Amino acid sequence: MRRPQFEDLSEEQQLNFGNGIGPFWLPEKIRDFVTKTASWFFKSASWRHHDFGYAVGGDRWDRARCDWKFYAAMMKDAFCQKYVLITLWPALFLATVFYVAVRLGGQMGSFEYRKCYASLQEIIDTYT
């Protein structure tokens, strides 16, 4: 079975996928605040992509790949800031904090460890 891709979702599904930045157990108001704050620094680094990768699931290497792609996207956004001299260091710091957080916290029930990837329909039925 082909591994589902975020791009397989409709545009509307993509815009509504995931819970923002933070684990499912974090209160929604805090997740919303962190997500809005992170949006100042990371425009295209998509936590929605990251959440989708966690929903697709797989083994520990799949999780590591999802986390690394998230970190790489945040680093790219950090260096593409409009005011790089002012925002670069805070963006690099936040990217690193978020990466460490997903590496440590993602193993606590967020990532769907499974032998086979979830199908696109399973993901849509469960997460949208």
Side-chain angles (χ1 to χ4, degrees), residues 58-65 103 111 113:
D59 61 20
R60 63 188 176 120
W61 300 110
D62 291 306
R63 183 175 153 254
R65 183 177 41 78
R103 289 306 300 150
F111 186 81
Y113 288 102

Side-chain angles (χ1 to χ4, degrees), residues 31-59:
R31 263 196 332 266
D32 288 346
F33 174 77
V34 172
T35 303
K36 286 176 185 171
T37 303
S39 295
W40 296 343
F41 300 99
F42 310 117
K43 301 300 180 203
S44 67
S46 176
W47 31 90
R48 288 178 170 80
H49 279 93
H50 187 257
D51 287 354
F52 184 83
Y54 268 42
V56 170
D59 61 20

Side-chain angles (χ1 to χ4, degrees), residues 38-95:
S39 295
W40 296 343
F41 300 99
F42 310 117
K43 301 300 180 203
S44 67
S46 176
W47 31 90
R48 288 178 170 80
H49 279 93
H50 187 257
D51 287 354
F52 184 83
Y54 268 42
V56 170
D59 61 20
R60 63 188 176 120
W61 300 110
D62 291 306
R63 183 175 153 254
R65 183 177 41 78
C66 286
D67 294 346
W68 184 254
K69 287 172 76 173
F70 181 45
Y71 185 55
M74 288 187 291
M75 294 300 278
K76 178 182 175 188
D77 280 356
F79 283 100
C80 293
Q81 298 283 324
K82 184 175 182 179
Y83 303 106
V84 172
L85 295 176
I86 299 169
T87 59
L88 178 62
W89 292 110
L92 294 175
F93 175 76
L94 279 177

Side-chain angles (χ1 to χ4, degrees), residues 15-39:
L15 290 173
N16 294 308
F17 197 89
N19 66 352
I21 296 178
F24 64 89
W25 49 262
L26 195 66
E28 187 175 347
K29 287 185 179 192
I30 295 173
R31 263 196 332 266
D32 288 346
F33 174 77
V34 172
T35 303
K36 286 176 185 171
T37 303
S39 295

Side-chain angles (χ1 to χ4, degrees), residues 109-122:
S110 296
F111 186 81
E112 296 286 344
Y113 288 102
R114 54 178 101 211
K115 292 183 182 189
C116 299
Y117 297 130
S119 70
L120 184 62
Q121 194 58 51
E122 286 176 289

